DNA sequence: CGTGGTTAGCTTAAGCTAACCACGGTGCGTTAAT
């Protein structure tokens, strides 16, 4: 069966979008593939379609449980029942049943953490795995080194389950991040499919405030005049709540906040309200956004800047998926520099911590239990603690281990990581403050040149804010949905209520 | 930097103020205690 036939019969599309055919052909040839496609361009087809042609199961590593659930649900709606996910939120007996029947499935969605467990990787190692997919592959580089170290072990796990061909998918990765992913996943001469990260319908605007109060005033003024829906990003949970209150006091009623400290149910509810247009504005930390496929987001405002330019691109990339004019507004005040600096140092142990550690353990007769206990008594941040556990595990896996060498390398590595992270913050700040074209310089960060400049480019090139303002007389937007879509929404909600 | 929580120290001893300090963001999984 040809891939065009499967595309129309299984997925209901007449033709491939940019990049999809080439990527699928390389995957079917059994090559390792690295693909960078802009958000919303149909990345999942690149492994879902080959699943019908390859012998064995396709294992997809995904960063969020909600993302995995969404994908499974969507495929089931399309009529494909041979897909599943496997995670801690599922009842024990359901998980066991899936394990028993795993050979019957075509696609399995799983987190990097669960994939490490012997129950799952053991079962997979005894069957044929056709393809190993890493979705949102930039997470390997962005989260793997400290926050979710299981991302660093994906290469190993892939070997354990028979080293099938690997497909790494992402929407944003600088050349450095690409190389990091290739190295950590152990990709073998991968076929590279890199497409432009430019989003011509997103215009850039920045405002530099003299004081924090002024920044808040500017924010409120913009939100009052801009056409929604929109997202406001900040770097602090508390600030999301402060901004929400301030906006409500100033006439922007349909506003809510969202951050990782909230109850799961509240997060889900707020997210749904935003997607179904019950909210105009959402004030959030970087917890919000991954997997949000709302097509008509009109503005993204940064009240604080993210700590690197890929995160920034990810965040603004959530606007204008429908192709309509959208605005990315950056608000800056010099006090903002403090937060990202604090965050990067808090996620790693200091040299002093490492010295403390080496005093506590017996250097000549290394004992695993004592090592682990000593980490706990260092009183590190959760992320720094995770980092230490990962490196201790690595130490005990070495046959000829030497504590001093390990320690020196660790300290060196920490210094290198902090230096890199500072450099990335510095680059982000340079972008904010530079007097050059915002679009050209952001493309430059991805080693790309601007080909055509859109009419509304950025405030440096000259920008009219008129297209982004809300019109006084609000005509109700016609909502045209196919009956399939309507049904899907109804079923979705039924599932949620039960 | 800004903020919120804690504590020392003052005082017609229970509640106030001021000084000080810690902290700021992303999620998976498992387990212990009811």
């Amino acid at each position: 069966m040809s891939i065009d036939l499967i595309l129309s019969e299984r997925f209901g599309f007449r033709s491939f979008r940019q990049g999809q055919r080439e990527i699928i052909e390389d995957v079917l040839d059994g090559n390792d593939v690295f693909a960078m496609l802009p958000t919303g361009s149909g990345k999942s087809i690149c492994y879902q379609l080959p699943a019908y042609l390859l012998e064995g199961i396709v294992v997809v590593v995904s960063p969020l449980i909600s993302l995995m659930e969404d994908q499974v649900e969507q495929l089931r709606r399309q009529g494909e029942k041979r897909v599943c996910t496997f995670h801690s939120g599922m009842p024990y007996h359901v998980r066991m049943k899936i394990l028993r029947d795993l050979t019957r499935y075509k696609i399995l969605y799983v987190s990097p953490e669960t994939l490490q467990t012997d129950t799952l990787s053991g079962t997979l190692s005894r069957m044929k795995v056709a393809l190993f997919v890493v979705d949102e592959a930039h997470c390997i580089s962005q989260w793997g080194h400290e926050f979710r170290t299981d991302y660093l072990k994906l290469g190993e796990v892939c070997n354990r389950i028979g080293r099938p061909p690997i497909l790494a998918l992402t929407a944003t990765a600088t050349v450095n991040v690409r190389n990091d992913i290739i190295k950590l996943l152990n990709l073998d001469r991968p076929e590279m499919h890199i497409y432009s990260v430019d989003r011509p319908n997103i215009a850039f605007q920045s405002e530099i405030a003299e004081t924090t109060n002024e920044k808040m005033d500017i924010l409120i003024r913009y939100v009052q005049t801009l056409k929604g829906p929109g997202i406001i990003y900040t770097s602090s949970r508390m600030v999301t709540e402060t901004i929400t209150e301030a906006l409500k006091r100033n006439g922007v009623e349909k506003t809510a906040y969202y951050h990782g400290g909230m109850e799961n149910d509240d997060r889900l509810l707020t997210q749904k309200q935003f997607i179904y247009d019950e909210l105009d504005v959402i004030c959030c930390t970087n917890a919000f956004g991954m997997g949000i496929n709302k097509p008509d987001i009109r503005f993204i405002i940064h009240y604080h800047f993210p700590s690197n330019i890929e995160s920034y691109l990810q965040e603004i990339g959530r606007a204008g998926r429908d192709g309509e004019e959208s605005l990315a507004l950056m608000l800056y005040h010099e006090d903002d520099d403090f937060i990202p600096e604090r965050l990067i140092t808090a996620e790693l142990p200091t040299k002093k911590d490492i010295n403390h550690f080496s005093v506590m353990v017996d250097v000549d007769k290394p004992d695993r239990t004592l090592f682990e206990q000593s980490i706990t008594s260092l009183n590190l941040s959760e992320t720094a603690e995770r980092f230490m556990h990962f490196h201790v595990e690595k130490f005990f896996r070495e046959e000829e281990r030497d504590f001093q060498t390990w320690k020196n390398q660790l300290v060196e590595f920490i210094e290198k990581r902090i230096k890199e992270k500072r450099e990335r913050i510095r680059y982000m700040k340079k972008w904010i403050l530079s007097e050059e074209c915002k679009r050209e310089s952001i493309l430059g960060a991805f080693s790309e040149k601007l080909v055509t400049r859109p009419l509304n480019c950025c405030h440096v090139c000259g920008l009219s804010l008129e297209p982004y303002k809300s019109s006084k007389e609000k005509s109700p937007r016609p909502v045209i949905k196919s009956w399939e879509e309507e049904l899907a929404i109804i079923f979705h909600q039924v599932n949620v209520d039960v």
Side-chain angles (χ1 to χ4, degrees):
Chain A
M1 196 138 106
S2 79
I3 61 173
D4 297 270
L5 200 58
I6 298 176
L7 184 72
S8 63
E9 284 193 354
R10 296 282 182 183
F11 299 94
F13 294 121
R14 283 263 198 76
S15 59
F16 284 104
R17 285 155 107 181
Q18 186 191 42
Q20 289 174 335
R21 177 189 296 277
E22 295 80 359
I23 292 165
I24 289 169
E25 282 171 353
D26 275 333
V27 166
L28 290 173
D29 282 346
N31 295 314
D32 283 352
V33 178
F34 183 103
M36 184 167 118
L37 288 167
T39 33
S41 60
K43 278 192 284 291
S44 18
I45 298 271
C46 298
Y47 59 81
Q48 288 169 353
L49 195 151
Y52 287 104
L53 292 163
L54 295 167
E55 185 203 331
I57 193 167
V58 174
V59 175
V60 185
V61 177
S62 171
L64 264 47
I65 291 175
S66 62
L67 231 55
M68 307 197 279
E69 300 271 10
D70 284 352
Q71 294 275 358
V72 169
E73 196 187 329
Q74 199 191 327
L75 283 162
R76 294 220 170 124
R77 252 189 269 156
Q78 284 174 27
E80 182 51 68
K81 304 292 178 214
R82 292 164 296 175
V83 290
C84 63
T85 169
F86 187 92
H87 58 77
S88 65
M90 295 160 65
Y92 182 76
H93 69 276
V94 176
R95 272 186 284 171
M96 287 309 112
K97 187 165 167 20
I98 287 176
L99 271 190
R100 273 200 310 275
D101 300 340
L102 203 54
T103 48
R104 288 195 215 153
Y105 289 97
K106 286 207 163 297
I107 304 178
L108 165 72
Y109 286 92
V110 71
S111 73
E113 286 84 0
T114 303
L115 191 57
Q116 302 298 325
T117 61
D118 287 336
T119 26
L120 186 57
S121 63
T123 310
L124 285 170
S125 67
R126 288 188 293 274
M127 50 191 276
K128 168 90 178 160
V129 178
L131 179 67
F132 188 77
V133 183
V134 184
D135 201 12
E136 310 285 358
H138 57 277
C139 292
I140 295 173
S141 184
Q142 194 175 306
W143 285 353
H145 298 284
E146 296 93 11
F147 180 50
R148 288 175 73 179
T149 47
D150 283 314
Y151 259 107
L152 294 193
K153 302 185 201 157
L154 287 180
E156 263 169 53
V157 167
C158 188
N159 289 341
R160 210 181 313 152
I161 61 175
R163 185 51 173 91
I166 302 177
L167 167 63
L169 290 167
T170 179
T172 50
T174 58
V175 174
N176 283 339
V177 173
R178 281 173 225 165
N179 290 335
D180 203 26
I181 294 169
I182 292 169
K183 193 180 101 195
L184 292 168
L185 277 180
N186 246 324
L187 296 188
D188 179 21
R189 286 159 294 149
E191 300 290 340
M192 303 293 287
H193 295 270
I194 309 290
Y195 293 90
S196 173
V197 295
D198 191 23
R199 298 283 304 280
N201 61 320
I202 300 178
F204 297 91
Q205 166 84 354
S206 333
E207 298 269 355
I208 295 169
E210 297 293 324
T211 64
T212 319
N213 281 344
E214 191 197 11
K215 195 167 75 164
M216 185 64 91
D217 292 342
I218 298 174
L219 173 76
I220 290 166
R221 228 177 34 240
Y222 268 101
V223 179
Q224 282 170 337
T225 47
L226 288 176
K227 192 182 349 179
I231 304 177
I232 302 167
Y233 277 107
T234 93
S235 298
S236 143
R237 292 174 175 183
M238 211 189 60
V239 173
T240 63
E241 303 185 18
T242 327
I243 292 178
T244 306
E245 283 164 31
L247 286 173
K248 283 186 173 165
R249 274 201 308 273
N250 285 277
V252 187
E253 293 292 334
K254 287 157 70 184
T255 308
Y257 58 85
Y258 182 104
H259 56 69
M262 294 161 58
E263 289 296 320
N264 244 331
D265 291 350
D266 295 336
R267 287 175 66 161
L268 211 67
L269 178 68
T270 307
Q271 190 175 312
K272 281 210 183 301
Q273 285 176 331
F274 183 66
I275 289 168
Y276 293 114
D277 294 323
E278 287 160 33
L279 289 169
D280 285 331
V281 180
I282 197 145
C283 306
C284 54
T285 60
N286 56 352
F288 186 79
M290 221 192 279
I292 296 292
N293 261 323
K294 189 171 171 57
D296 60 347
I297 297 173
R298 292 278 72 87
F299 67 81
I300 309 285
I301 300 177
H302 279 84
Y303 186 82
H304 289 134
F305 62 92
S307 48
N308 61 71
I309 205 144
E310 299 108 88
S311 300
Y312 179 67
L313 199 75
Q314 284 269 348
E315 287 163 7
I316 63 166
R318 285 162 196 149
R321 299 252 169 115
D322 55 6
E324 300 288 314
E325 292 293 320
S326 310
L327 186 69
L329 169 64
M330 171 65 75
L331 302 180
Y332 176 79
H333 177 246
E334 53 183 18
D335 286 355
D336 300 346
D337 297 1
F338 197 79
I339 300 177
E341 172 62 28
R342 279 307 294 262
L343 291 177
I344 60 166
T345 45
E347 65 184 355
L348 287 160
T350 60
K351 199 171 172 177
K352 211 170 132 195
D353 293 324
I354 305 288
N355 284 333
H356 257 251
F357 180 76
S358 36
V359 175
M360 280 188 278
V361 298
D362 187 346
V363 172
D364 298 316
K365 276 175 70 188
D367 172 67
R368 182 77 188 257
T369 320
L370 183 60
F371 267 56
E372 302 288 356
Q373 282 170 359
S374 307
I375 294 176
T376 318
S377 43
L378 285 175
N379 274 327
L380 302 167
S381 73
E382 201 191 338
T383 310
E385 200 171 309
R386 183 75 45 87
F387 174 89
M388 282 302 285
H389 282 296
F390 177 77
H391 284 278
V392 161
E393 193 189 318
K394 216 168 133 188
F395 173 72
F396 280 98
R397 240 183 303 147
E398 279 169 28
E399 304 257 320
E400 304 207 355
R401 55 181 91 100
D402 174 60
F403 186 82
Q404 211 49 41
T405 318
W406 175 82
K407 184 191 157 189
N408 291 342
Q409 282 174 354
L410 194 60
V411 171
E412 209 176 290
F413 180 69
I414 291 167
E415 281 168 359
K416 195 181 113 212
R417 281 294 292 167
I418 292 192
K419 217 177 123 201
E420 281 169 7
K421 283 162 184 268
R422 284 220 176 96
E423 184 54 32
R424 285 151 66 87
I425 295 176
R426 206 186 58 81
Y427 196 99
M428 184 72 230
K429 246 187 78 182
K430 202 181 108 201
W431 181 84
I432 296 169
L433 298 173
S434 102
E435 297 292 318
E436 290 159 36
C437 165
K438 296 293 158 189
R439 188 177 309 273
E440 270 180 53
S441 45
I442 206 163
L443 291 183
F446 291 83
S447 314
E448 232 189 277
K449 287 241 178 326
L450 179 66
V451 184
T452 33
R453 187 183 305 284
L455 204 60
N456 257 347
C457 181
C458 66
H459 66 275
V460 179
C461 299
L463 176 70
S464 157
L465 286 175
E466 285 311 313
Y468 313 104
K469 291 185 178 165
S470 65
S471 48
K472 283 275 156 6
E473 66 286 342
K474 273 193 177 166
S475 54
R477 217 160 30 87
V479 183
I480 303 162
K481 285 200 180 79
S482 67
W483 64 267
E484 286 101 326
E485 277 177 304
E486 292 286 1
L487 262 185
I489 290 165
I490 292 163
F491 279 141
H492 192 124
Q493 290 190 324
V494 166
N495 278 341
V496 165
D497 291 342
V498 165

